Amino acid sequence: MPYLEPAAVLRRFSRFALEEIRPAIDGEERFVRGQVGSMASTLRFLAGELDASERAVTTQENALHEALDGVEHTLDDHDAAATAVREALADARDTLDGTDDEAGSRIRGTRERETTLLEACDDVLARVEANLDDETARAVRRPLYDFLDARLDAQLRTLGRRNESGDGSP
Amino acid sequence: MSDVTAGALESYLTGRLAADVSVSDLHEHVEGWSRDTVSFTARWNEEGEQRERRLVVRAESDAQIEGDSAAEGNDVETEFRTMAAAEDTSVPVPETYWYEGDRSVLGGRFFVVGHLPGDAPVVWDREQRQDLYRAWDEREANEGDGKADGRAKGGSENDGGSLPSQFVDAAAGIHTLDAEDVSALADCPPDAVVERELDRWVGRYRASTVRPEPAVEECIRWFRSNPPEIPETTLVHGDFRIGNILVNEGELTGVLDWELARIGDPLYDLGYASTYYFAGKLIEPIERPELACSLLDREWFYDEYERRSGRVVDRERVRYWRAFSAFVMMTIGLAGVHRFRTGETDDVRAAWFQYIVPGLIEDMLAIVREDRL
């Protein structure tokens, strides 16, 4: 195992690229200067991803659990049989159970866990579209959109967002 | 990078102008992605008189020469022919001179156009964004004084005027051309426009997908189930935003980068220019989300476009294209990520482009959810 904390190394490289390498490049070499600038900010983002990826995926897992519960309650409230959607819910829960037990977490990396969550959510959303009437579909989508929002929020915070609003306004 | 050197240009232009041409002051424009763009000064003697002209060469990039990486845009000849057609409008475009299809000349196909003064504003630069905000605020203040856009110079009431006003004129001017005027572009009947756009961009997205993204799939389902009705088609710039417009001392001097031009719904350009991304949003929300391209109030933009073009601006259609434009930009970004991932390019910007994706999904989803929930 390496000794240095990976995110800290990336941040140091980012700072060095921005503060030392970039100014040392001849002003005429705009393309190379631009490349070094992009490299520096990519390194900084990567450091943030390393710091936050495990935490972000756990947050998304919890959000999807809540979303699936919400979908089930909504279906019950609407007295909807919705067999295909309920099957997708069961499949999604099986998938989550495979990712959040200790053995599953060890076997699967963070990235693979996240991919599994995304596939599970998409499967439920697609079944909602294909199988429910318009009014029920709207209600059932709401908790699933909460999951999509939670994912976007986690991604944007990982990339450094500090402001609260997501509608483009500060 | 194609071989755009002074010597190669001198040799080419000497043949074109039938005179000894010298080339100097080469300047590589690195802002763009898809083409290699170099400006230069050409000097030659014509009938005893010394001539000098600043020109621009736009050549295929290495990726375009080697493979299918031009898939997001038109080939270089089509771009040239489109610009030539646009010269017949009121829209300021660089004067078109020559297209060259022989790759042995500069290493890639290219065209030569006149150089126009000015710089394309970068909305992701906070200071430049502030300049654009000021242009709008000054227009607003002048409107209060009754002199915002009516400073006619012997032409229409829209001649001259503020930068926001010139931006509207540029959009309306582009849309005065139809398929017959731009024979280089494939015609498309109005009722086939949406399907063509979906097939093209969803196909590109599928080819570039790195991992599943349920929010994007949700948006695609919405795009497919809510196609707007398109009553007419015109020339569409396809990448209409302040970053593709030259501004010199507050005046719009040229509309550039026509490689995404097509025959389509003119309101596409309005939706595209209205995305938060092209107003400077990356990760953080922008300061003035009401301004399209950080330059002009959206509703004013649509109202003025209506007045000047005589075309009704269906807000729902603009909203659809605005969401779809975020999808297009996201797909272009992901295509770059895909090229980096497969080793097709080492350009650091291609890897960096993954970071624009969450912000764009957020904007798409904000529009889609209004109908879906």
mmCIF file of all heavy atoms in Angstrom, chain B residues 69-93:
data_model
loop_
_atom_site.group_PDB
_atom_site.id
_atom_site.type_symbol
_atom_site.label_atom_id
_atom_site.label_comp_id
_atom_site.label_asym_id
_atom_site.label_seq_id
_atom_site.Cartn_x
_atom_site.Cartn_y
_atom_site.Cartn_z
ATOM 1 N N SER B 69 -14.576 11.089 -36.046
ATOM 2 C CA SER B 69 -14.795 11.991 -34.912
ATOM 3 C C SER B 69 -15.545 13.251 -35.288
ATOM 4 O O SER B 69 -15.864 14.059 -34.440
ATOM 5 C CB SER B 69 -13.465 12.353 -34.260
ATOM 6 O OG SER B 69 -12.931 11.188 -33.708
ATOM 7 N N ALA B 70 -15.792 13.413 -36.595
ATOM 8 C CA ALA B 70 -16.573 14.577 -36.994
ATOM 9 C C ALA B 70 -18.065 14.314 -36.821
ATOM 10 O O ALA B 70 -18.888 15.121 -37.215
ATOM 11 C CB ALA B 70 -16.283 14.924 -38.447
ATOM 12 N N ALA B 71 -18.406 13.177 -36.207
ATOM 13 C CA ALA B 71 -19.808 12.756 -36.155
ATOM 14 C C ALA B 71 -20.718 13.799 -35.513
ATOM 15 O O ALA B 71 -21.903 13.831 -35.800
ATOM 16 C CB ALA B 71 -19.918 11.437 -35.405
ATOM 17 N N GLU B 72 -20.166 14.644 -34.627
ATOM 18 C CA GLU B 72 -21.015 15.644 -33.981
ATOM 19 C C GLU B 72 -21.282 16.836 -34.872
ATOM 20 O O GLU B 72 -22.154 17.632 -34.585
ATOM 21 C CB GLU B 72 -20.364 16.122 -32.684
ATOM 22 C CG GLU B 72 -20.448 15.087 -31.592
ATOM 23 C CD GLU B 72 -19.107 14.826 -30.969
ATOM 24 O OE1 GLU B 72 -18.290 15.740 -30.907
ATOM 25 O OE2 GLU B 72 -18.871 13.680 -30.561
ATOM 26 N N GLY B 73 -20.521 16.991 -35.921
ATOM 27 C CA GLY B 73 -20.710 18.164 -36.758
ATOM 28 C C GLY B 73 -20.557 17.848 -38.235
ATOM 29 O O GLY B 73 -20.271 16.719 -38.620
ATOM 30 N N ASN B 74 -20.787 18.897 -39.052
ATOM 31 C CA ASN B 74 -20.663 18.726 -40.499
ATOM 32 C C ASN B 74 -19.196 18.714 -40.902
ATOM 33 O O ASN B 74 -18.329 19.207 -40.185
ATOM 34 C CB ASN B 74 -21.372 19.875 -41.207
ATOM 35 C CG ASN B 74 -22.847 19.892 -40.886
ATOM 36 O OD1 ASN B 74 -23.472 18.841 -40.751
ATOM 37 N ND2 ASN B 74 -23.415 21.087 -40.749
ATOM 38 N N ASP B 75 -18.936 18.194 -42.100
ATOM 39 C CA ASP B 75 -17.557 18.219 -42.593
ATOM 40 C C ASP B 75 -17.179 19.654 -42.953
ATOM 41 O O ASP B 75 -18.025 20.555 -43.004
ATOM 42 C CB ASP B 75 -17.388 17.258 -43.777
ATOM 43 C CG ASP B 75 -18.286 17.636 -44.934
ATOM 44 O OD1 ASP B 75 -18.244 18.797 -45.383
ATOM 45 O OD2 ASP B 75 -19.068 16.770 -45.372
ATOM 46 N N VAL B 76 -15.916 19.845 -43.199
ATOM 47 C CA VAL B 76 -15.385 21.194 -43.349
ATOM 48 C C VAL B 76 -15.935 21.876 -44.614
ATOM 49 O O VAL B 76 -16.174 23.083 -44.630
ATOM 50 C CB VAL B 76 -13.827 21.138 -43.304
ATOM 51 C CG1 VAL B 76 -13.227 20.618 -44.574
ATOM 52 C CG2 VAL B 76 -13.236 22.455 -42.892
ATOM 53 N N GLU B 77 -16.186 21.094 -45.660
ATOM 54 C CA GLU B 77 -16.734 21.694 -46.879
ATOM 55 C C GLU B 77 -18.165 22.196 -46.633
ATOM 56 O O GLU B 77 -18.536 23.289 -47.060
ATOM 57 C CB GLU B 77 -16.729 20.686 -48.038
ATOM 58 C CG GLU B 77 -17.288 21.325 -49.313
ATOM 59 C CD GLU B 77 -17.246 20.411 -50.525
ATOM 60 O OE1 GLU B 77 -16.936 19.204 -50.361
ATOM 61 O OE2 GLU B 77 -17.518 20.909 -51.640
ATOM 62 N N THR B 78 -18.956 21.390 -45.923
ATOM 63 C CA THR B 78 -20.333 21.801 -45.640
ATOM 64 C C THR B 78 -20.347 23.064 -44.793
ATOM 65 O O THR B 78 -21.169 23.969 -45.005
ATOM 66 C CB THR B 78 -21.085 20.655 -44.925
ATOM 67 O OG1 THR B 78 -21.031 19.490 -45.749
ATOM 68 C CG2 THR B 78 -22.533 21.022 -44.666
ATOM 69 N N GLU B 79 -19.426 23.137 -43.831
ATOM 70 C CA GLU B 79 -19.358 24.351 -43.015
ATOM 71 C C GLU B 79 -19.061 25.567 -43.891
ATOM 72 O O GLU B 79 -19.677 26.628 -43.749
ATOM 73 C CB GLU B 79 -18.297 24.207 -41.920
ATOM 74 C CG GLU B 79 -18.270 25.423 -41.003
ATOM 75 C CD GLU B 79 -17.229 25.361 -39.903
ATOM 76 O OE1 GLU B 79 -16.426 24.404 -39.882
ATOM 77 O OE2 GLU B 79 -17.213 26.281 -39.075
ATOM 78 N N PHE B 80 -18.126 25.394 -44.825
ATOM 79 C CA PHE B 80 -17.758 26.493 -45.718
ATOM 80 C C PHE B 80 -18.956 26.927 -46.569
ATOM 81 O O PHE B 80 -19.253 28.113 -46.685
ATOM 82 C CB PHE B 80 -16.596 26.029 -46.617
ATOM 83 C CG PHE B 80 -16.147 27.051 -47.611
ATOM 84 C CD1 PHE B 80 -15.376 28.130 -47.213
ATOM 85 C CD2 PHE B 80 -16.495 26.939 -48.954
ATOM 86 C CE1 PHE B 80 -14.957 29.084 -48.138
ATOM 87 C CE2 PHE B 80 -16.087 27.883 -49.878
ATOM 88 C CZ PHE B 80 -15.308 28.954 -49.468
ATOM 89 N N ARG B 81 -19.645 25.951 -47.144
ATOM 90 C CA ARG B 81 -20.788 26.277 -48.026
ATOM 91 C C ARG B 81 -21.910 26.943 -47.220
ATOM 92 O O ARG B 81 -22.617 27.809 -47.729
ATOM 93 C CB ARG B 81 -21.329 25.013 -48.696
ATOM 94 C CG ARG B 81 -20.286 24.201 -49.432
ATOM 95 C CD ARG B 81 -20.041 24.694 -50.847
ATOM 96 N NE ARG B 81 -18.890 24.003 -51.441
ATOM 97 C CZ ARG B 81 -17.871 24.588 -52.054
ATOM 98 N NH1 ARG B 81 -17.839 25.908 -52.188
ATOM 99 N NH2 ARG B 81 -16.876 23.889 -52.548
ATOM 100 N N THR B 82 -22.076 26.525 -45.978
ATOM 101 C CA THR B 82 -23.119 27.135 -45.127
ATOM 102 C C THR B 82 -22.781 28.597 -44.840
ATOM 103 O O THR B 82 -23.639 29.481 -44.911
ATOM 104 C CB THR B 82 -23.257 26.354 -43.805
ATOM 105 O OG1 THR B 82 -23.476 24.976 -44.086
ATOM 106 C CG2 THR B 82 -24.421 26.888 -42.977
ATOM 107 N N MET B 83 -21.509 28.836 -44.519
ATOM 108 C CA MET B 83 -21.092 30.219 -44.259
ATOM 109 C C MET B 83 -21.258 31.068 -45.513
ATOM 110 O O MET B 83 -21.670 32.229 -45.440
ATOM 111 C CB MET B 83 -19.634 30.254 -43.804
ATOM 112 C CG MET B 83 -19.437 29.722 -42.402
ATOM 113 S SD MET B 83 -17.687 29.576 -41.972
ATOM 114 C CE MET B 83 -17.256 31.281 -41.745
ATOM 115 N N ALA B 84 -20.946 30.482 -46.662
ATOM 116 C CA ALA B 84 -21.090 31.232 -47.922
ATOM 117 C C ALA B 84 -22.553 31.614 -48.135
ATOM 118 O O ALA B 84 -22.858 32.736 -48.565
ATOM 119 C CB ALA B 84 -20.569 30.390 -49.082
ATOM 120 N N ALA B 85 -23.457 30.699 -47.811
ATOM 121 C CA ALA B 85 -24.886 31.005 -47.950
ATOM 122 C C ALA B 85 -25.298 32.100 -46.970
ATOM 123 O O ALA B 85 -26.092 32.987 -47.298
ATOM 124 C CB ALA B 85 -25.711 29.743 -47.708
ATOM 125 N N ALA B 86 -24.745 32.050 -45.764
ATOM 126 C CA ALA B 86 -25.108 33.029 -44.735
ATOM 127 C C ALA B 86 -24.604 34.432 -45.077
ATOM 128 O O ALA B 86 -25.116 35.426 -44.553
ATOM 129 C CB ALA B 86 -24.568 32.589 -43.379
ATOM 130 N N GLU B 87 -23.629 34.513 -45.971
ATOM 131 C CA GLU B 87 -23.149 35.835 -46.397
ATOM 132 C C GLU B 87 -24.255 36.645 -47.072
ATOM 133 O O GLU B 87 -24.168 37.872 -47.139
ATOM 134 C CB GLU B 87 -21.977 35.678 -47.380
ATOM 135 C CG GLU B 87 -20.655 35.399 -46.706
ATOM 136 C CD GLU B 87 -19.530 35.341 -47.730
ATOM 137 O OE1 GLU B 87 -19.295 34.261 -48.290
ATOM 138 O OE2 GLU B 87 -18.902 36.393 -47.949
ATOM 139 N N ASP B 88 -25.256 35.950 -47.606
ATOM 140 C CA ASP B 88 -26.348 36.649 -48.293
ATOM 141 C C ASP B 88 -27.390 37.197 -47.331
ATOM 142 O O ASP B 88 -28.437 37.678 -47.773
ATOM 143 C CB ASP B 88 -27.034 35.683 -49.277
ATOM 144 C CG ASP B 88 -26.101 35.298 -50.405
ATOM 145 O OD1 ASP B 88 -25.175 36.077 -50.693
ATOM 146 O OD2 ASP B 88 -26.276 34.199 -50.976
ATOM 147 N N THR B 89 -27.161 37.079 -46.048
ATOM 148 C CA THR B 89 -28.117 37.591 -45.065
ATOM 149 C C THR B 89 -27.550 38.834 -44.386
ATOM 150 O O THR B 89 -26.432 39.262 -44.689
ATOM 151 C CB THR B 89 -28.399 36.536 -43.969
ATOM 152 O OG1 THR B 89 -27.221 36.403 -43.159
ATOM 153 C CG2 THR B 89 -28.767 35.195 -44.567
ATOM 154 N N SER B 90 -28.306 39.365 -43.456
ATOM 155 C CA SER B 90 -27.825 40.534 -42.703
ATOM 156 C C SER B 90 -26.864 40.121 -41.583
ATOM 157 O O SER B 90 -26.307 40.975 -40.893
ATOM 158 C CB SER B 90 -29.027 41.248 -42.075
ATOM 159 O OG SER B 90 -29.717 40.345 -41.213
ATOM 160 N N VAL B 91 -26.670 38.818 -41.425
ATOM 161 C CA VAL B 91 -25.822 38.325 -40.334
ATOM 162 C C VAL B 91 -24.354 38.547 -40.693
ATOM 163 O O VAL B 91 -23.917 38.159 -41.776
ATOM 164 C CB VAL B 91 -26.054 36.810 -40.110
ATOM 165 C CG1 VAL B 91 -25.206 36.304 -38.956
ATOM 166 C CG2 VAL B 91 -27.520 36.536 -39.860
ATOM 167 N N PRO B 92 -23.584 39.178 -39.798
ATOM 168 C CA PRO B 92 -22.160 39.326 -40.111
ATOM 169 C C PRO B 92 -21.436 37.986 -40.000
ATOM 170 O O PRO B 92 -21.447 37.357 -38.934
ATOM 171 C CB PRO B 92 -21.653 40.317 -39.054
ATOM 172 C CG PRO B 92 -22.662 40.300 -37.968
ATOM 173 C CD PRO B 92 -23.952 39.801 -38.530
ATOM 174 N N VAL B 93 -20.875 37.539 -41.097
ATOM 175 C CA VAL B 93 -20.064 36.311 -41.104
ATOM 176 C C VAL B 93 -18.762 36.620 -41.824
ATOM 177 O O VAL B 93 -18.708 37.524 -42.656
ATOM 178 C CB VAL B 93 -20.777 35.136 -41.818
ATOM 179 C CG1 VAL B 93 -21.939 34.618 -41.000
ATOM 180 C CG2 VAL B 93 -21.217 35.503 -43.212
#
